[in-house]
Amino acid sequence: MKKISLFILSISLLASCTDFDIDDLGFKLVPIDSYVAFANTGGAITPIVRNVSESSAIQNLRIECPAGSLSDITVTYSFSGSAVFGTDFTVTTPGGTASATGGTIVIKRNKTPGGLADFDFVNLGIDPITDGVVDGNKTLTITLVSAINANGKEFVVGRGVEGATIYLKEAVINISDVD
Ligand SMILES: [Ca+2]
Ligand SMILES: [Ca+2]
């Protein structure tokens, strides 16, 4: 009889724990968002702004998918600003394309999962052009437009939640004239 009473007491105590949560056990579940975004130095979410000149080396902009992907991701981006593709800068596009309005680049699926170094990413190389013309300073904004993998999964571009600030969807490169 005592055992049965204890059992009933235990059940009623459990039933009264309406706010039971996995956090109560000391665990914290932190999901890794499935987004594609630019990566700033050290994982910072501050805007990416590079101040360079026409004679500067290629600017590698890292585009990452921290949660990884089951297949290669094609990322579409656009250009805006006063810098002109083919005149003020050109692009190195591994597995992608580029034109005056923007282009695509492919994040290859990492074949050796496990560990931070295995995050799926690619570097978009923006190469400033020394044009030999006095043409003033130019600015270039690269905006991520969409990202989809070979399985048809679409990724959110930029970091953050809908309705709030979206981080690292854009990267800005200011190119100063050297002539
Ligand atoms: Ca120029
Ligand atoms: Ca120039």
Side-chain angles (χ1 to χ4, degrees), residues 54 88 131 135 138:
E54 290 177 333
D88 295 305
D131 50 25
D135 61 338
K138 303 289 181 68

Side-chain angles (χ1 to χ4, degrees), residues 86-147:
T87 301
D88 295 305
F89 71 96
T90 188
V91 178
T92 59
T93 57
T97 59
S99 70
T101 54
T104 62
I105 193 167
V106 177
I107 300 175
K108 302 293 285 183
R109 178 200 166 198
N110 199 307
K111 302 288 192 275
T112 54
L116 290 175
D118 296 317
F119 282 0
D120 293 352
F121 71 94
V122 70
N123 284 323
L124 174 64
I126 303 293
D127 193 4
I129 294 175
T130 307
D131 50 25
V133 178
V134 180
D135 61 338
N137 301 332
K138 303 289 181 68
T139 185
L140 169 66
T141 298
I142 303 111
T143 304
L144 302 179
V145 175
S146 62

